[in-house]
Amino acid sequence: MIGRVLGGTRVEEVFLDGDRWNLRTPRGVFPLPLTRSEFEAVKWGDAPDLLVGRTPFGPDQPNRVVAWQLARRPGTAEPATDADGLVRLTLKREAPLPFGMPLGTTLRVRQTRRYGQRLLRVETTRHLVWNETEHAYLRRGIEFTIADPLVLVPEQPVTYAFDVPITLERAKGILFGAPPYADYFWDIFDIGADRSGRLLALVIVSLTEPSVPAQTFPVYNVSSAGPYVHSTAAVPPVFPSSPNTFLWALIDLGQGAVVASTAEPVVTLTLAEATGPEPGLSVYLPDGRSGFLGRDTSIYHGGDRDGEVEGPGAWSFARFLPPSTTLLTVTEMRTDSGFRDVTLEGFLEPTLRAALADAGSRLHFEVTGTPTSHTYVYGCETFFPPTNCSAIRVAGTSWEVTAAPLELTDVVRARGAEGAERLALLADGRVFAWEPAAARADLRAAPGGEFAYLSAAAGRNALVTFGVFRPERISRAFVPLEGAGDAVSFDDPEIAFTVLAPDHLYHAPTGRFHRPATPPARLPLPAPLVEAPGTHPGDYHAIRLP
């Protein structure tokens, strides 16, 4: 296919030289009536004569995207210029960023956590027997009995149910607001213009921390006078740390409408902490001490105090004893911790979900339980060394998220694609092609490597950069986004290649098309661009000559 069109094709570049945007062709360099001060970025649109640019984005900035029609001399591909030598541009479309625009998705959060504070209580009974020889009461037995715990804060569910509509709220734009961003932030990842001049933007949304206020509970400490409120514990709603990228959306800037979104209209996040067979114990106090509440009773046997019972005394704090290898009595308790159930539904729209599932991608959270067991010694018949001790063993399962659904790490719109919109997506290091209007998506390549990102997508192909860190090696993969062709990988340490519509692999330093191969095979066309000072590479496109 490449061989059939090379003779009638040339490449043009839009680039920056100082504060002036310029057009570079094989015939010369032509200044555009656009400055960097006014337009921070200028690039080619989908049509051969279409340019698109954006003003500076940020607070107190114009925040506009503009498309222009480039004039050419009749019957040629050469740009038409005015009396000052500037390329003639005609305003095609113009649109401000649509702040406040809904992105068509609402995050629905349903979450259950747990909170409580209970202290272990132990009754100690000492048996004192009269010894006639010693003329004293000697200890001849000790008993430890676990009493009902002191419930300072009853174990209870802490529930949250709230919705987060995803919009282009100005305060949550990464270039327009200031951190911390409540619930999520968004960013303009790319701009473009289709063949009709419709202005488009690719938006990425990432979750942060929920803005819903945390429910609070008292935290008790213990002094010689008894329990008292020491501080307050916040039990907030949480978002999982991954997937961090919540959605990608392609939007029509002029209409303020969503063209395509990777998420469904409602995404439901459900999290529930584990519930054990019995409430947990608070073995640590807020000041860091670890222990329990105890009180003593003494019973006298023989002598003139026979049958006398002294106590029980007041409850007071006692520290747990060092671990002992001679445990006489162990009381078992079971309590679980961590998030046991974590689900995310609607994270991917149906076509993408089916394609990624067919490719074996992980679409659910994986939660793993680890058995836990901690033994706390609260009393011994003898202390030096600890012998015939009594303890409580708290066993259970600690649950944690060990794997999250895949992350859509990169999305690029295929510029100049024929027909409806086409996007290339990178997920789990693999490249997928997605045509939202046709409800079609499929796996196209799996380049591998320790890192990967989408460098470009144009026409029927995408270019992926991937590699390893040590020893550093950077490779590229030319990936067809339609048809039966296979991806072709090659080394490109200088990041010198790009793809141009409809099917070209272009090497900027030599100005030549290359046939995708390992290594790429240089072709004799197109005509090279003239040498020019400025910032290169800029933005390239290929056009058919008249």
Side-chain angles (χ1 to χ4, degrees), residues 120-125 143-148 293 295 315 331 378 390:
L120 175 68
R121 293 200 295 188
V122 178
E123 300 263 16
T124 301
T125 302
E143 299 170 359
F144 302 102
T145 304
I146 294 179
D148 290 337
L293 296 179
R295 66 179 182 181
W315 292 104
T331 301
Y378 54 78
S390 296

Side-chain angles (χ1 to χ4, degrees), residues 38-39 51-55 62-68 90-97 193 197-199 252-255:
E38 186 178 7
F39 295 97
L51 287 171
V52 59
R54 68 167 181 85
T55 68
N63 300 319
R64 293 183 299 120
V65 178
V66 183
W68 303 272
T90 303
L91 180 65
K92 181 84 171 177
R93 299 276 180 89
E94 182 176 11
L97 292 183
R198 179 177 62 162
L199 296 172
D252 181 331
L253 293 171
Q255 297 297 318

Side-chain angles (χ1 to χ4, degrees), residues 308-381:
E308 184 177 331
V309 177
E310 189 177 76
W315 292 104
S316 62
F317 181 80
R319 294 181 182 273
F320 288 119
L321 301 174
S324 171
T325 57
T326 58
L327 294 177
L328 188 65
T329 302
V330 177
T331 301
E332 300 282 350
M333 291 190 65
R334 179 176 176 83
T335 181
D336 295 344
S337 62
F339 283 107
R340 176 67 182 88
D341 299 304
V342 184
T343 62
L344 187 64
E345 302 296 334
F347 172 60
L348 294 171
E349 61 87 40
T351 302
L352 282 178
R353 184 178 183 84
L356 271 64
D358 289 345
S361 297
R362 184 175 54 252
L363 302 180
H364 304 283
F365 284 100
E366 293 180 6
V367 181
T368 302
T370 302
T372 60
S373 180
H374 302 280
T375 301
Y376 303 96
V377 178
Y378 54 78
C380 299
E381 289 187 3

Side-chain angles (χ1 to χ4, degrees), residues 454-541:
L454 292 167
S455 300
R460 291 183 280 268
N461 307 289
L463 190 64
V464 182
T465 300
F466 67 99
V468 296
F469 294 109
R470 289 187 178 86
E472 185 179 70
R473 181 175 180 178
I474 298 176
S475 301
R476 314 296 286 281
F478 180 88
V479 180
L481 297 178
E482 64 176 46
D486 294 328
V488 178
S489 297
F490 53 90
D491 288 341
D492 185 15
E494 302 301 323
I495 317 288
F497 284 91
T498 190
V499 288
L500 307 178
D503 278 303
H504 304 302
L505 178 63
Y506 181 70
H507 186 250
T510 61
R512 293 289 193 262
F513 293 138
H514 283 61
R515 181 179 297 110
T518 308
R522 178 171 169 172
L523 300 171
L525 295 172
L529 302 177
V530 298
E531 294 293 328
T535 303
H536 304 281
D539 190 58
Y540 300 92
H541 77 160

